[in-house]
Amino acid sequence: MSIRLRLTLLYSTILALTLIAFSVALYVTLSGALYNGVKETLVDETKRLIYNPKFNPYTGDLQLQASKVTAPETYAQLRTINGILEDPQRHRSPSLIAQGFDLPLCHECLQAVQAGNTDLQIATIENRRFMIQSTSVSIRDSTFILQVGRSLTEQDASLRELSRLLIIGTGVATLIAFGIGWALAGAALRPIDRITQTAHAIGEDRDFERRLQYTGPADEIGRLATTFNAMLSALQSAYKQEAQALQAQRRFVADASHELRTPLTTIRGNIGLLQRVPPISTDDRIAVLNDMAEESERMSRLVNDLLALARADAGRPLRRDRVAIKPLIDDVCRSAHLLAPERTITCINELNVQVMGDHDALKQVLLILLDNALKFTPASGRISVTTAVQDQRIAISVSDTGIGITADALPHIFERFYRGDTSRTGAGAGLGLSIAKTLVEGQQGVISVQSQPGKGSTFTISLPQVEYSEPLTIPAREESVQAV
Ligand code: ADP
């Protein structure tokens, strides 16, 4: 059942119940008033008759004084205390004689009157209802029962008419209320209908740019429309993000396959050479095997890089430890020196500070930067690692006096699989800086670059500093840090 119908039915039912309660109250009050009026008439008539008994002057017989029964459709009758109507002619009012029936007296009524009470009964005579009051009266040492009755025809007819009117009125009012309620509920729910249609259309077309046009007041529906539009905006941006991420993922998979294809093709070609009959010369075989070893190494480096990126993408949480900068840089410089003992790498690091982050991830980032610096700087060039404190942040810079990066390439170097001029670059797959960026940002850090072609580059990572809670423990191997 629709909300519209439910609301309308609810309102109509409430109205109908209210009208019924009102009608019942009105009917009860009015019938009470009407019957009370009849009762009062009976009391008045009884009094009048009691104080004015009439006796036959010759026989001394008691007779009802007919002229005293003044109210219309009112009848009187006198019974003995045993309930017997002795003389129907003299003991009935002329109006009753004219009707041709007696006023009945039920057994209980008789007992009540004999006990000295006044009894009031409603009796049906010839399909007409009568209210009859029976009272005991003492006249000249004898006790009689005086019955005064009145027809309720008029009152019953009035009440019948009233109930008819109330029933029809209630029915018609309920029907009108249902009609108006149906129209009003329809008008009130129309914007919701529009929202539903728009939502349906958006779902069908996947058109998250569409918005709900609502010009009404900022009531419940207005708030629903605003919230709905806000939700659409959020959905739109989420959808865009998802589409971008999907595109990036597709590009990534394509690039990764492409990168893996080259070493695999080389290895396959080389295997073909090794399988040749007659076999190739020993010198050629050594050259082919060296080539294969080199390609395998490149492939395993690439797979390692891909794994690192895949883990970062999967949102694997990095550690959030206090990392002392000095031992970290000493460690990195030592590793770089071992990798390229013939190169000049200067590590200037006098800061006893800590950052919040992952020690291993930071070391990996610095090694990537140093590896690039070594790759893109001629043997005669200089490479240095320096630290500085700026606005509660620690900046670690890796500078070189290498080939530098052109302004065109600069915005792209952190992209996955981006490599500068391949004739100038080494054998990297273009993943190093994107891994570094992901790892730094995973620690609330920022990585930036400044470079001048032909003069060199400086990569800086900046991380939030943490206050010291205890003195730093500096490893004993500190003296081997400087590698000049
Ligand atoms: P790769 O692993 O191939 O070195 P990176 O993501 O680390 O890839 O670097 C992307 C590109 O950025 C490199 O191909 C190179 O062109 C440029 N680049 C990175 N570091 C330097 C640097 N120190 N000097 C000059 N160019 C650099």
Side-chain angles (χ1 to χ4, degrees):
M1 198 193 287
S2 68
I3 292 186
R4 185 182 184 185
L5 183 60
R6 257 186 290 169
L7 274 179
T8 314
L9 279 179
L10 184 75
Y11 289 146
S12 310
T13 311
I14 290 172
L15 181 80
L17 288 177
T18 314
L19 285 178
I20 288 170
F22 171 76
S23 304
V24 169
L26 184 71
Y27 186 87
V28 169
T29 315
L30 212 75
S31 63
L34 283 176
Y35 291 135
N36 267 342
V38 177
K39 211 162 110 187
E40 273 166 26
T41 314
L42 293 181
V43 172
D44 286 351
E45 292 301 329
T46 304
K47 272 184 199 159
R48 212 172 293 151
L49 287 170
I50 287 174
Y51 295 123
N52 297 285
K54 189 185 171 191
F55 292 93
N56 187 322
Y58 306 106
T59 59
D61 281 351
L62 177 65
Q63 207 175 333
L64 266 179
Q65 202 174 355
S67 61
K68 293 295 170 188
V69 180
T70 52
E73 291 223 39
T74 306
Y75 315 99
Q77 177 178 283
L78 204 62
R79 288 178 188 265
T80 64
I81 192 67
N82 297 324
I84 298 163
L85 181 62
E86 270 185 338
D87 188 341
Q89 280 308 311
R90 280 183 298 149
H91 290 175
R92 287 192 301 174
S93 65
S95 56
L96 188 56
I97 293 169
Q99 289 293 327
F101 54 74
D102 305 339
L103 294 179
L105 182 66
C106 69
H107 184 64
E108 292 81 35
C109 312
L110 175 66
Q111 282 176 342
V113 179
Q114 283 172 342
N117 300 320
T118 299
D119 178 76
L120 198 71
Q121 76 173 100
I122 290 182
T124 307
I125 308 164
E126 293 174 358
N127 287 332
R128 287 159 65 201
R129 289 188 344 124
F130 288 83
M131 186 183 275
I132 303 163
Q133 180 176 282
S134 308
T135 325
S136 63
V137 286
S138 296
I139 306 166
R140 292 206 181 162
D141 305 333
S142 304
T143 309
F144 294 88
I145 298 172
L146 176 62
Q147 285 186 287
V148 182
R150 189 161 183 202
S151 162
L152 293 176
T153 312
E154 203 181 299
Q155 288 75 10
D156 283 350
S158 303
L159 287 175
R160 255 198 316 277
E161 184 61 20
L162 176 72
S163 64
R164 208 170 62 88
L165 275 177
L166 288 175
I167 288 170
I168 293 173
T170 303
V172 170
T174 307
L175 273 180
I176 292 174
F178 185 89
I180 295 174
W182 179 256
L184 284 179
L189 293 172
R190 202 159 301 129
I192 294 185
D193 237 11
R194 275 211 306 276
I195 293 178
T196 313
Q197 278 165 14
T198 311
H200 184 74
I202 288 169
E204 292 259 290
D205 310 344
R206 306 215 130 224
D207 175 12
F208 298 117
E209 279 179 20
R210 235 177 110 172
R211 292 288 175 276
L212 191 75
Q213 302 303 327
Y214 179 78
T215 45
D219 53 9
E220 286 86 345
I221 308 257
R223 283 202 298 279
L224 175 66
T226 316
T227 314
F228 185 74
N229 280 342
M231 190 196 72
L232 280 179
S233 301
L235 260 178
Q236 186 187 9
S237 70
Y239 191 66
K240 249 188 205 157
Q241 265 176 14
E242 197 199 337
Q244 279 168 358
L246 198 68
Q247 206 182 358
Q249 200 181 8
R250 281 199 191 121
R251 212 173 46 224
F252 180 73
V253 171
D255 288 346
S257 332
H258 181 77
E259 287 297 325
L260 284 168
R261 207 173 55 183
T262 317
L264 280 172
T265 315
T266 315
I267 291 172
R268 223 177 39 215
N270 285 338
I271 289 172
L273 284 176
L274 290 176
Q275 285 173 330
R276 261 202 195 159
V277 182
I280 54 173
S281 70
T282 313
D283 286 351
D284 285 347
R285 210 178 62 231
I286 290 170
V288 163
L289 285 173
N290 280 341
D291 202 18
M292 283 171 75
E294 221 173 84
E295 288 302 328
S296 310
E297 204 179 311
R298 191 173 138 197
M299 213 159 62
S300 85
R301 262 204 319 270
L302 179 66
V303 170
N304 275 337
D305 286 354
L306 288 174
L307 189 66
L309 274 176
R311 280 184 179 151
D313 284 350
R316 204 180 58 151
L318 292 169
R319 293 174 69 95
R320 300 283 296 151
D321 298 330
R322 286 167 173 269
V323 181
I325 290 300
K326 193 169 168 54
L328 170 76
I329 290 181
D330 291 348
D331 193 10
V332 170
C333 287
R334 209 166 27 246
S335 304
H337 182 58
L338 287 175
L339 277 173
E342 73 290 352
R343 304 292 294 268
T344 306
I345 304 170
T346 313
C347 293
I348 304 162
N349 170 36
E350 296 305 329
L351 288 178
N352 276 348
V353 286
Q354 288 183 329
V355 291
M356 197 54 96
D358 184 313
H359 179 276
D360 292 348
L362 284 175
K363 185 176 170 184
Q364 192 181 353
V365 171
L366 290 171
L367 283 176
I368 289 171
L369 297 180
L370 277 170
D371 182 50
N372 278 349
L374 287 166
K375 262 194 305 194
F376 300 109
T377 308
S380 57
R382 288 189 312 279
I383 296 166
S384 61
V385 181
T386 53
T387 51
V389 182
Q390 286 167 357
D391 306 330
Q392 301 285 307
R393 291 179 81 85
I394 306 298
I396 308 169
S397 302
V398 177
S399 310
D400 63 60
T401 56
I403 59 171
I405 305 162
T406 60
D408 292 347
L410 214 50
H412 303 290
I413 56 169
F414 291 104
E415 287 171 12
R416 292 177 181 188
F417 294 106
Y418 176 81
R419 278 173 299 195
D421 184 356
T422 42
S423 62
R424 304 187 308 157
T425 57
L431 290 176
L433 285 180
S434 54
I435 293 173
K437 187 173 190 294
T438 311
L439 292 178
V440 170
E441 287 175 353
Q443 300 170 77
Q444 275 81 55
V446 180
I447 185 164
S448 57
V449 60
Q450 281 184 324
S451 185
Q452 272 193 316
K455 289 199 173 164
S457 316
T458 299
F459 285 85
T460 305
I461 59 172
S462 148
L463 296 153
Q465 182 185 359
V466 284
E467 297 299 324
Y468 270 114
S469 55
E470 55 194 50
L472 253 182
T473 321
I474 299 164
R477 294 174 298 165
E478 191 198 351
E479 74 287 344
S480 60
V481 168
Q482 190 94 342
V484 179

